[in-house]
Amino acid sequence: MAEMRKNKAKSSSSASSSSCSGFLNRSFTMHAPSKVDSNNPKVHFFLKNQQSQNRAASTSKVHDSIDSVKGKVKKLCCFFESGKSSSSSSNITNPKEPTHKPCLRTTKSSISSGFINPAIRLPGTEDRIVVYLTSLRGIRRTYEDCYAVRMIFRGFRLWIDERDISMDAAYKKELQNILKVRKVTLPQVFIKGKYIGGADVIKSMFEMGELAKVLDDFPRRQPGFVCNACGDVRFVPCGNCSGSRKLFDDDEGSLKRCFECNENGLIRCPDCCD
């Protein structure tokens, strides 16, 4: 009997505990609905409000970013406008002050007054073009200028009296006496005995077409003409001493200096330089 009472007490306690747990589960657990009824007007209103709030938040963020960008752009514009205003204020002239208009000059007057120097003349060369130059390549810029001037005149198929100071030192002394300077720059050009100038002047006259007008009176040579005696070098070895610069004197029985050639044993070409 005692055992039966104990079993009944256990069964009653287990039933009461299960009923309490069920009550607790029913009272404190919330079961979400498996499907949301979209046709319900309350649910539809709630979802619509939530979407509108999300849109309002996103649009407010976009407007904030645009406003920030506009603020930066305004700052940059103010910065550059202040710089422009300062520069424009510095460039603004006083209306009371007279404005100087640029004077336009014709090309002919600038050529005649700027390029040809009538005070310097080379006597005995009124019928030719004389160019003082060098054929040595020790100074690259000087050699290139001399070569450019030579090619410009040869492009007109003209004969040029080329006086190479590297071939004959007497030409350097002659140029120094004419220009009345100790240090001379090459090349130097004389046309019809009048001093024209250096390479920059000849290039400028050639580019503006003024050089062709000055050279109209000179006769032209045949295309590809080259002197057979000197090859357009303008110098040949001395025929008296064969370029050795020394002659044997039979009377004295010794060697003497040849006075017909220069320091290099060369003379001017008799075919193209006479």
Side-chain angles (χ1 to χ4, degrees), residues 172-185:
K172 183 178 180 180
K173 295 179 182 179
E174 182 181 52
L175 184 60
Q176 288 174 347
N177 293 331
I178 294 170
L179 299 180
K180 295 180 181 180
V181 292
R182 186 175 180 181
K183 293 182 179 180
V184 294
T185 59

Side-chain angles (χ1 to χ4, degrees), residues 26-241:
R26 283 195 300 272
S27 60
F28 292 100
T29 56
M30 295 178 66
H31 298 281
S34 59
K35 292 183 180 180
V36 178
D37 190 5
S38 61
N39 295 324
N40 191 351
K42 294 182 179 180
V43 174
H44 183 71
F45 179 74
F46 175 75
L47 294 175
K48 189 174 182 180
N49 288 336
Q50 190 174 7
Q51 291 176 358
S52 62
Q53 289 176 1
N54 292 332
R55 288 177 183 174
S58 62
T59 52
S60 64
K61 290 180 180 180
V62 171
H63 285 298
D64 293 338
S65 62
I66 292 173
D67 292 336
S68 63
V69 172
K70 285 182 178 180
K72 293 180 180 179
V73 172
K74 286 181 179 179
K75 288 180 181 179
L76 291 173
C77 291
C78 293
F79 175 74
F80 286 109
E81 286 176 359
S82 63
K84 288 181 180 179
S85 62
S86 62
S87 62
S88 62
S89 63
S90 62
N91 293 327
I92 292 173
T93 58
N94 191 356
K96 294 182 181 179
E97 295 179 356
T99 58
H100 298 283
K101 294 182 180 180
C103 298
L104 299 177
R105 297 181 180 178
T106 59
T107 306
K108 188 174 181 181
S109 62
S110 64
I111 293 293
S112 60
S113 62
F115 289 158
I116 298 175
N117 190 349
I120 303 174
R121 300 184 67 88
L122 183 62
T125 60
E126 287 77 10
D127 59 342
R128 64 184 67 185
I129 303 168
V130 179
V131 181
Y132 290 90
L133 50 84
T134 180
S135 59
L136 294 180
R137 304 190 182 189
I139 301 174
R140 182 176 180 179
R141 177 65 183 274
T142 302
Y143 173 77
E144 289 178 353
D145 290 341
C146 294
Y147 181 80
V149 170
R150 183 189 294 177
M151 290 299 106
I152 287 173
F153 283 111
R154 288 190 179 182
F156 289 100
R157 294 188 288 112
L158 299 172
W159 177 81
I160 311 165
D161 187 358
E162 299 177 0
R163 301 187 177 183
D164 193 344
I165 66 171
S166 62
M167 292 286 194
D168 195 345
Y171 289 145
K172 183 178 180 180
K173 295 179 182 179
E174 182 181 52
L175 184 60
Q176 288 174 347
N177 293 331
I178 294 170
L179 299 180
K180 295 180 181 180
V181 292
R182 186 175 180 181
K183 293 182 179 180
V184 294
T185 59
L186 298 175
Q188 297 296 334
V189 181
F190 293 82
I191 298 177
K192 295 181 180 180
K194 298 178 182 179
Y195 175 63
I196 305 300
D200 295 335
V201 177
I202 298 300
K203 289 178 183 178
S204 300
M205 293 179 68
F206 177 70
E207 290 173 357
M208 289 186 288
E210 190 69 18
L211 186 61
K213 297 177 183 179
V214 176
L215 301 177
D216 283 339
D217 299 336
F218 291 94
R220 264 56 175 180
R221 299 193 302 179
Q222 295 181 358
F225 175 80
V226 179
C227 179
N228 294 325
C230 66
D232 284 346
V233 180
R234 306 291 185 263
F235 286 94
V236 293
C238 178
N240 191 23
C241 64

Side-chain angles (χ1 to χ4, degrees), residues 13-29:
S13 62
S14 63
S16 62
S17 62
S18 62
S19 63
C20 289
S21 63
F23 174 74
L24 290 173
N25 289 332
R26 283 195 300 272
S27 60
F28 292 100
T29 56

